Amino acid sequence: PQNILELGSGTTTAVFADWVRSNEGVRLYSLDESDEWIRKSSTLAGISEDDERFRMMSAPKIVEQLEDDRHVASYDKSLTDKYDFVLIDGPSLNVDGRKRKDTVNTDIFKLVEVSAPQSIIVDIRVATVSAMIEKLHDYNYFISDLIGNPNPEGLVSDKAFGLKSGYRYFSYFQKK
């Protein structure tokens, strides 16, 4: 990938930073709701503020409760650049101090309209994966072994934690 967007910074920031440094012309945009987490991720990845290949950004999380008591979350940030690779690991699923696994990240649906990324990786977010399967018909998808078959209730397969060779930790979507 040439333009990477990371929704939720963390250890993956260091992995992406290595890729950026190893490949000319690659840029990383990382977005998180926590200024502190952005600083920690930048430090972990060895990213300096004056390096133009990296854009570390923070923006508040917006959470809305739907009529059926589920939630949607996004960042309060307009994402209009073109990205060919997106990692979804944010915003946080915490709503009023409680982790809500039924929360769907809606940033990806806005992004697909603007930039139609080639690859989208999702870190365990069952409700987001389910919503993406339902709405993103221009993508082939491969579901994390942690999730099994996603369902509207967001239940995780009982086979979830048997790590083995070839284990698929992330779910990923590839543009057809």
Side-chain angles (χ1 to χ4, degrees), residues 102-129:
D102 63 348
T103 303
V104 173
N105 176 315
T106 56
D107 288 312
I108 194 60
F109 303 113
K110 297 174 220 165
L111 279 168
V112 166
E113 291 175 16
V114 172
S115 69
Q118 276 302 118
S119 302
I120 305 166
I121 307 293
V122 185
D123 185 6
I124 310 303
R125 295 163 180 271
V126 177
T128 299
V129 168

Side-chain angles (χ1 to χ4, degrees), residues 125-143:
R125 295 163 180 271
V126 177
T128 299
V129 168
S130 295
M132 290 172 65
I133 289 169
E134 183 180 316
K135 295 179 181 181
L136 299 183
H137 303 289
D138 291 342
Y139 287 83
N140 292 316
Y141 57 88
F142 307 88
I143 305 304

Side-chain angles (χ1 to χ4, degrees), residues 5-167:
L5 174 63
E6 178 184 42
L7 298 174
S9 63
T11 19
T12 51
T13 306
V15 173
F16 292 139
D18 283 346
W19 176 260
V20 169
R21 289 185 192 101
S22 300
N23 295 277
E24 194 171 318
V26 178
R27 295 182 56 102
L28 170 63
Y29 304 80
S30 187
L31 181 60
D32 202 283
E33 68 257 30
S34 166
D35 288 328
E36 180 182 358
W37 203 246
I38 285 287
R39 279 192 302 281
K40 286 179 180 181
S41 299
S42 295
T43 300
L44 174 70
I47 297 171
S48 66
E49 288 182 28
D50 60 342
D51 191 333
E52 294 180 7
R53 297 173 295 178
F54 301 96
R55 186 156 177 222
M56 305 299 286
M57 308 169 284
S58 64
K61 169 175 68 172
I62 299 171
V63 176
E64 296 177 47
Q65 184 172 347
L66 304 176
E67 290 179 10
D68 61 2
D69 196 40
R70 292 180 302 134
H71 292 81
V72 294
S74 62
Y75 288 106
D76 190 10
K77 181 85 170 168
S78 177
L79 299 168
T80 57
D81 291 327
K82 301 280 185 191
Y83 309 101
D84 51 4
F85 183 97
V86 177
L87 170 71
I88 302 172
D89 190 18
S92 151
L93 297 177
N94 290 330
V95 177
D96 297 326
R98 187 173 144 226
K99 190 169 191 170
R100 294 290 308 239
K101 293 182 180 182
D102 63 348
T103 303
V104 173
N105 176 315
T106 56
D107 288 312
I108 194 60
F109 303 113
K110 297 174 220 165
L111 279 168
V112 166
E113 291 175 16
V114 172
S115 69
Q118 276 302 118
S119 302
I120 305 166
I121 307 293
V122 185
D123 185 6
I124 310 303
R125 295 163 180 271
V126 177
T128 299
V129 168
S130 295
M132 290 172 65
I133 289 169
E134 183 180 316
K135 295 179 181 181
L136 299 183
H137 303 289
D138 291 342
Y139 287 83
N140 292 316
Y141 57 88
F142 307 88
I143 305 304
S144 166
D145 291 335
L146 285 171
I147 295 174
N149 293 319
N151 57 59
E153 294 81 38
L155 300 175
V156 176
S157 164
D158 60 354
K159 298 185 256 180
F161 299 102
L163 296 178
K164 57 191 175 286
S165 176
Y167 194 82

